[in-house]
Amino acid sequence: EPEVTQTPSHQVTQMGQEVILRCVPISNHLYFYWYRQILGQKVEFLVSFYNNEISEKSEIFDDQFSVERPDGSNFTLKIRSTKLEDSAMYFCASSDSEGWNEQFFGPGTRLTVL
Amino acid sequence: DQQVKQNSPSLSVQEGRISILNCDYTNSMFDYFLWYKKYPAEGPTFLISISSIKDKNEDGRFTVFLNKSAKHLSLHIVPSQPGDSAVYFCAASDLGGNTPLVFGKGTRLSVIA
């Protein structure tokens, strides 16, 4: 069964450093998303991406964040200068173009900012 | 502002009994609702969904009920099994299909053998 994959599973970084979280969505999906979940809190939407551009973003997704689809398979989330409060699980999700379809989530990357 | 609320952080149910997980929402524009299940160290997994044109959707042991006037939905699992022990997230969307999902905080279900 096709699945969304994410690498790395755990990333530890120093405050102020740049990190890139990687995702490989399901191959025939066209819509891509990033979410995060701070420990003990709800899953929060960050950004959606379609047709090589951001279609929607939340207040959390400020200038420190960027997304890219550098090739036909990868979808990345970059945090330019990490802050302590960026420590969270980051989930990538994808969905196909037909309406009412659920989003499929990857296993997540745990980001720890020290 | 919590647009999707799951007021019970945890629930314990005996194996074989019914589990009822509740979710309330405040945004009347939401017209598509989903339940996700999450095991530790894994991403959320889609479980079942319902659109606002329905009031019930059933898939095997899982049934979701939607009460639009009360802005309330519930997930029923019957019979509950130990493998159902997980965190259950309610999520909602205001356009259906491929739009951002707003999640609740989740309810941890423990099914006791």
Side-chain angles (χ1 to χ4, degrees), chain A residues 24-38:
Chain A
V24 178
I26 294 173
S27 62
N28 64 337
H29 285 186
L30 299 176
Y31 297 80
F32 313 112
Y33 311 83
W34 283 101
Y35 294 83
R36 78 172 185 191
Q37 184 183 23
I38 295 171

Side-chain angles (χ1 to χ4, degrees), chain A residues 31 33 35 37 40-45 48 56 89 91 95-108, chain B residues 1-3 31-32 34 36 38 41-44 46 49 51 89 95-105:
Chain A
Y31 297 80
Y33 311 83
Y35 294 83
Q37 184 183 23
Q41 298 186 26
K42 62 181 179 178
V43 176
E44 298 173 292
F45 167 75
S48 59
E56 194 151 352
M89 283 290 289
F91 294 104
S95 62
D96 67 24
S97 60
E98 297 175 41
W100 305 113
N101 276 346
E102 66 278 5
Q103 297 175 15
F104 289 83
F105 283 77
Chain B
D1 174 33
Q2 265 191 283
Q3 295 187 72
D31 58 4
Y32 186 51
L34 307 91
Y36 283 82
K38 185 182 178 304
E42 295 184 13
F46 170 76
S49 64
S51 75
F89 291 100
L95 285 176
N98 303 307
T99 55
L101 295 174
V102 179
F103 284 82
K105 285 191 174 183

Side-chain angles (χ1 to χ4, degrees), chain A residues 13 22 46 54 79 87 103:
Chain A
T13 189
R22 291 183 166 78
L46 293 179
I54 291 173
I79 309 175
S87 296
Q103 297 175 15

Side-chain angles (χ1 to χ4, degrees), chain B residues 27-106:
Chain B
N27 188 342
S28 56
M29 296 298 292
F30 287 147
D31 58 4
Y32 186 51
F33 306 90
L34 307 91
W35 283 94
Y36 283 82
K37 180 168 73 171
K38 185 182 178 304
Y39 292 118
E42 295 184 13
T45 303
F46 170 76
L47 197 55
I48 193 168
S49 64
I50 189 168
S51 75
S52 59
I53 60 173
K54 293 187 172 183
D55 54 22
K56 177 182 172 181
N57 188 25
E58 194 171 346
D59 183 2
R61 295 185 298 115
F62 302 93
T63 304
V64 55
F65 294 93
L66 175 62
N67 183 334
K68 288 188 290 294
S69 60
K71 294 193 179 69
H72 176 84
L73 63 154
S74 60
L75 174 68
H76 293 211
I77 307 172
V78 55
S80 302
Q81 299 173 354
D84 296 329
S85 297
V87 177
Y88 289 78
F89 291 100
C90 171
S93 170
D94 65 357
L95 285 176
N98 303 307
T99 55
L101 295 174
V102 179
F103 284 82
K105 285 191 174 183

Side-chain angles (χ1 to χ4, degrees), chain A residues 38-87:
Chain A
I38 295 171
L39 186 64
Q41 298 186 26
K42 62 181 179 178
V43 176
E44 298 173 292
F45 167 75
L46 293 179
V47 66
S48 59
F49 191 86
Y50 170 70
N51 200 25
N52 284 320
E53 60 184 25
I54 291 173
S55 49
E56 194 151 352
K57 60 183 181 179
S58 71
E59 293 174 352
I60 304 167
F61 195 87
D62 61 22
D63 292 342
Q64 294 297 315
F65 291 88
S66 62
V67 289
E68 196 177 33
R69 189 153 161 81
D71 52 45
S73 60
N74 290 283
F75 179 51
T76 62
L77 174 69
K78 182 192 292 186
I79 309 175
R80 260 179 276 282
S81 177
T82 51
K83 303 187 283 287
L84 296 176
E85 53 265 37
D86 293 327
S87 296

